[in-house]
Every structure is written in C-alpha cells, then in structure tokens.
Amino acid sequence: MKYFENVKKIKYEGSKSLDPYTFKYYNAEEIIMGKPMKEHLKFSMAYWHTMTGGGTDPFGSATMIRPWDEDATGMERAKIRVKVAFEFMEKIGLEYFCFHDADIAPQGATLEETNKNLDEIVDLIEVEMKRTKIKLLWGTTNAFTHPRFVNGASTSPNADVFAYAAAQVKKAIEITHRLGGAGYVFWGGREGYETLLNTDMKFELENLARLLKMAVDYAKEIDFDVQFYIEPKPKEPTKHQYDFDSATVVSFLRANNLDNHFKLNIETNHATLAMHTMQHELRFAADNDMLGSVDANQGDLLLGWDTDQFPTNIYNAVLTMYEILRAGGLTTGGLNFDAKVRRPSFTKEDLLIAHIVGMDTYAAGLRIAANLLEDGVFEDNLKQRYRSYDSGIGKKIVNNEVGFKELETYILNRKEIEANESGKQELLESILNQYIIG
Ligand code: XUL
Ligand code: CO
C-alpha cells in the first residue's frame, strides 16, 4: 500500500535512540520473567480510533482527513481501510486488533444489508489475518451511535430496540467467531440512565442480564469458546452508567450467575472517571478472578470526561503491569490501545508515534514491575504488615475459631493491645521511585 510505504518496520534501538520511529524500551522477543515481552503485553490496535477516528469534538469537525479515506467512500473505503490497518499493524509490530461491527463496514438501510456488508469486509480481514498472522483480541458491537439507541440498547424501554440489539450482538459474535477472536466485549454504551423520574432501573438491569445470558447461550450453541468481558465505565454517555466500576460489575455478574462466563476489560481512563486508580480497578477484578483484559489509555485528571489519550504515564504503566504480573498475567486478554491522537495531531506520522510511545511506556512499565515483583518489594512488606494473623488470636480469627464472646474474653485478659506500626507509605513510594528512575 502506498500510505506507509516510506515507513520502515519499527525496531528496538534502546533508550538512547534519537530516532522517533524506533522503540526505546519495547524489545518484543526479550525475555522478562520467563516470557517474551510481546507475550506479556499483547498490544492491540483499536480499529475505531486508529482507522476511523477523524478528530471531531463537540465544537469542531474532523481534522484528521486520512489520505486513505480520500480515495473512496462507502464499501470501497472500508476495504481500503482493511489494507491500511494491516499494513500499519505490520509496520509497528502490533499483533492484535479490536473492532466494533460498525467500525469495519458501513451500515446499510436494513440489518440484512448491514450484515452483508460485514460479511464482505470480514472476508477481506480474514485474508489479511492469514497473510500477517495478526490476531483478533476481541470484537464488540456498537449499539450506541445510531439514533435507535437513544434510550439504551438492552436497557431501552422499547422492546424492538432490545430485539435489534440482540440481533446485532448475534452477528458480531458470529464474525468474531469466524475471525478466531479470543474475546468479546460488552461496553455498556448507552446502558444507563439520566433520571429515575422516567426509569425503571430494576427492570432495565434485569434486561441487561437477559441479553448477556442470551449471548452466553448463543456462543455455546455455535461452539464458540470465547471469553466474554464487561468493560466498566461510570459515566458518559449517560449520567449513571450501569457498569460503573469493577466492584459494581463483579456484584452484578455474581447476582445474575454470570460470573463464570465473564471477566472484566478494564480501561485506565474509565478508572479515573470512577475516581479510582487503575491499580484499584485491576486489583479488585484480580482478587475476584475476573481480571480479563485492559484498554490501555490515559485520561486527564483535570478533565471530567473520557479523553482516551495514548498512555505515556510511566508511573501508571508500572502499577498496571505490576497488578497484571501479580495476578499471573492476562490469559485471553491483552493491552488494547483504546486511545486516540489529540485533534491537532492530525498527521499519519502522529498515529505511528502515538502507538510507539504507548508500547514503550508499557514495556518500560513491564520491566520495572518485574523487578519490583522479583525483589518482593511490596510482598515482603505486606507479609510483615499482616503477620499478627499468622499465629495466636489472629490465626484463630482467620480460621473462624472464635466469635465475639471469645474475642471479648481475649481482650479482657490482656493488659494492653499490641502497638500499631507505621504504614510506611512514603518509604514505599520512595523505593518505587528508585525502581522507576534507577
Ligand atoms: C468507550 C469505550 C469503548 C469500548 C468498546 O468509552 O471505551 O470504546 O472500549 O466499545
Ligand atoms: Co474502551
């Protein structure tokens, strides 16, 4: 293809390299904790931002007029985009991608026509996947952009809209299956509400669970061994998104007996919007055996919306990779760059640089996190901090051998309680800085 023909394949040159088109920290084959970096990281391109995003915002039209979009419209444009997408991923060494149905093919006048368009593009994607060995990390459905989803998709008060969403998810699952996708994501889109004055929240949540059960049943029916994920987000587009954060989603899945079929796809910017750290969101999911995949991006702490920036924050990347390593790694999941270049970064070169710095940031994060874990920096401290539960009364508490009465007797018989110790937060932060800066 002509669009990136002057770009050489991006290679690792190390941290001293002055060439912006090289990796400074990401060395795909280098072994970290017994595995090549690329297996720890499994970077993925988000089709919607990188291939179809135009840079629009509520105040301005598209600034990113991609050269490949200028050559055609409709299905022809969609076909060119497939070629460009794979050329782009090959040049950077991205081995995975993710898409919504609506990203890859134009919607037709009817569902039938839309599905026909999808099939034609999926044929092409299949050829490119075979040629390049690039894999599908997950597929998903866009059931939020079209005006029919104004009141939600599976949580719409309109049963026809529920049915439409179900039909759309069915097709998206089928194409994900055809392309050998490892996962399928449900991000809530417009599944939430603006005001309880017009909303039956209980009913809407039951319907959300109904649709998810149908998805599980259908995957079984077509013999598709897929990992389903829910992607939590607290707000935007609706004021109250039902999948608020990790804790909300874990309880929702448990309450509806869906916890064996779903894991979480956790996004950094969504954690920020939920007023949690990404580390908290990951830890909560991992502690509940539901850490599945990551949408790697970053928000802006001064803004209250989902800016979806490429990840450049090392501190965050270290703690994200620390949580992932601590949880034993992502199995079916990966690191999907659900990230877009800033509106004034409108050249195709900006797209390359953005992915390179995102990959380098996580590669640096992985190296540092592995050192932290191998040296047991935080683990040793944790063991020390909770040691009162290893013996004596603490052991009896965790073994459920004592109740209120025994504990009262225990305390009455003690002259004074064990002295509290420092939490050493500043010391730990200082050690973390040493690992980061070197
Ligand atoms: C929206 C978002 C989505 C999902 C996929 O904030 O993150 O792009 O990742 O639907
Ligand atoms: Co996302």
Side-chain angles (χ1 to χ4, degrees):
M1 291 293 283
K2 59 186 176 183
Y3 305 107
F4 288 104
E5 69 187 358
N6 295 328
V7 178
K8 54 186 180 3
K9 196 164 170 13
I10 310 298
K11 293 216 172 73
Y12 171 69
E13 269 194 11
S15 62
K16 297 285 180 287
S17 171
L18 296 176
D19 180 352
Y21 298 99
T22 60
F23 292 120
K24 319 297 178 296
Y25 306 101
Y26 180 56
N27 187 12
E29 302 296 340
E30 187 182 324
I31 304 292
I32 306 270
M33 289 180 82
K35 264 199 323 200
M37 274 190 147
K38 64 178 196 176
E39 282 178 33
H40 282 286
L41 297 163
K42 285 166 76 185
F43 291 124
S44 150
M45 183 198 79
Y47 211 96
W48 54 102
H49 288 308
T50 299
M51 283 304 128
T52 68
T56 52
D57 72 14
F59 302 95
S61 48
T63 55
M64 301 162 193
I65 315 300
R66 302 294 178 208
W68 50 87
D69 279 354
E70 285 183 310
D71 290 350
T73 55
M75 281 296 281
E76 279 322 298
R77 177 184 280 181
K79 286 178 192 166
I80 295 176
R81 280 177 178 168
V82 172
K83 296 270 188 193
V84 178
F86 280 85
E87 184 193 14
F88 181 80
M89 289 187 274
E90 270 188 293
K91 287 272 157 87
I92 301 199
L94 283 159
E95 298 193 353
Y96 296 83
F97 68 109
C98 295
F99 67 82
H100 301 83
D101 44 8
D103 307 331
I104 58 170
Q107 302 207 32
T110 59
L111 182 64
E112 205 179 353
E113 203 183 304
T114 302
N115 287 351
K116 204 174 134 268
N117 290 348
L118 280 170
D119 287 337
E120 211 176 316
I121 298 299
V122 167
D123 284 345
L124 216 65
I125 293 182
E126 205 171 27
V127 172
E128 288 295 298
M129 286 175 75
K130 278 214 181 92
R131 182 181 68 75
T132 60
K133 310 272 181 298
I134 289 170
K135 295 178 275 298
L136 177 59
L137 189 67
W138 49 259
T140 187
T141 319
N142 179 331
F144 44 89
T145 300
H146 194 281
R148 79 174 64 86
F149 300 116
V150 59
N151 292 315
S154 68
T155 65
S156 170
N158 179 343
D160 270 6
V161 174
F162 183 106
Y164 198 101
Q168 209 183 313
V169 171
K170 173 179 177 286
K171 181 67 182 177
I173 290 177
E174 285 163 8
I175 59 179
T176 302
H177 186 203
R178 227 189 102 188
L179 295 174
Y184 186 91
V185 163
F186 288 88
W187 165 58
R190 291 183 192 276
E191 313 292 37
Y193 70 92
E194 300 299 328
T195 170
L196 282 178
L197 299 180
N198 67 10
T199 303
D200 187 341
M201 179 160 64
K202 184 168 186 288
F203 181 69
E204 291 197 1
L205 281 165
E206 284 163 6
N207 271 352
L208 177 57
R210 276 190 190 99
L211 186 107
L212 299 178
K213 277 185 191 137
M214 288 179 197
V216 169
D217 290 345
Y218 188 65
K220 206 187 248 172
E221 201 178 313
I222 62 172
D223 245 340
F224 183 20
D225 184 20
V226 65
Q227 177 60 58
F228 283 115
Y229 306 105
I230 292 191
E231 182 176 321
K233 184 175 183 180
K235 54 187 163 191
E236 207 202 11
T238 74
K239 178 173 166 180
H240 299 276
Q241 292 284 123
Y242 287 134
D243 300 326
F244 192 95
D245 61 358
S246 289
T248 312
V249 172
V250 167
S251 331
F252 171 81
L253 290 170
R254 290 244 168 87
N256 289 286
N257 296 320
L258 286 161
D259 45 314
N260 287 333
H261 303 285
F262 281 80
K263 286 188 174 170
L264 272 53
N265 179 42
I266 300 179
E267 177 164 327
T268 322
N269 203 159
H270 296 178
T272 304
L273 294 178
M275 299 215 206
H276 292 308
T277 59
M278 180 61 166
Q279 194 181 10
H280 168 89
E281 288 296 84
L282 295 165
R283 179 74 64 92
F284 196 92
D287 283 348
N288 286 281
D289 283 330
M290 285 193 216
L291 174 56
S293 200
V294 166
D295 267 11
N297 62 12
Q298 69 188 32
D300 187 315
L301 294 180
L302 304 184
L303 300 175
W305 62 92
D306 202 10
T307 56
D308 279 349
Q309 292 168 230
F310 272 88
T312 54
N313 183 322
I314 291 282
Y315 206 85
N316 220 345
V318 169
L319 296 178
T320 297
M321 289 316 301
Y322 174 75
E323 289 305 316
I324 292 173
L325 291 178
R326 190 178 183 274
L330 303 172
T331 48
T332 50
L335 300 176
N336 173 47
F337 290 121
D338 187 358
K340 56 190 174 198
V341 282
R342 298 304 84 195
R343 192 164 181 265
S345 306
F346 46 73
T347 68
K348 60 181 184 187
E349 288 74 24
D350 292 313
L351 270 184
L352 283 161
I353 301 284
H355 284 83
I356 293 170
V357 68
M359 292 162 82
D360 266 340
T361 302
Y362 270 86
L366 168 66
R367 289 170 190 274
I368 296 162
N371 290 339
L372 282 164
L373 211 70
E374 279 175 337
D375 294 351
V377 174
F378 302 128
E379 278 60 31
D380 291 350
N381 183 65
L382 278 186
K383 251 187 239 133
Q384 261 309 94
R385 193 160 189 237
Y386 292 89
R387 70 184 184 285
S388 66
Y389 288 92
D390 293 342
S391 59
I393 193 69
K395 198 162 187 191
K396 287 190 178 146
I397 293 173
V398 294
N399 286 345
N400 304 316
E401 287 166 16
V402 288
F404 277 178
K405 280 188 272 175
E406 293 80 5
L407 291 171
E408 184 187 46
T409 311
Y410 168 79
I411 285 295
L412 288 172
N413 287 335
R414 259 179 100 78
K415 281 203 200 74
E416 46 187 315
I417 67 162
E418 200 69 39
N420 278 314
E421 291 173 359
S422 164
K424 298 184 196 157
Q425 180 172 337
E426 295 77 4
L427 173 65
L428 295 168
E429 287 170 349
S430 142
I431 297 172
L432 175 56
N433 279 355
Q434 280 182 291
Y435 273 80
I436 294 176
I437 299 163

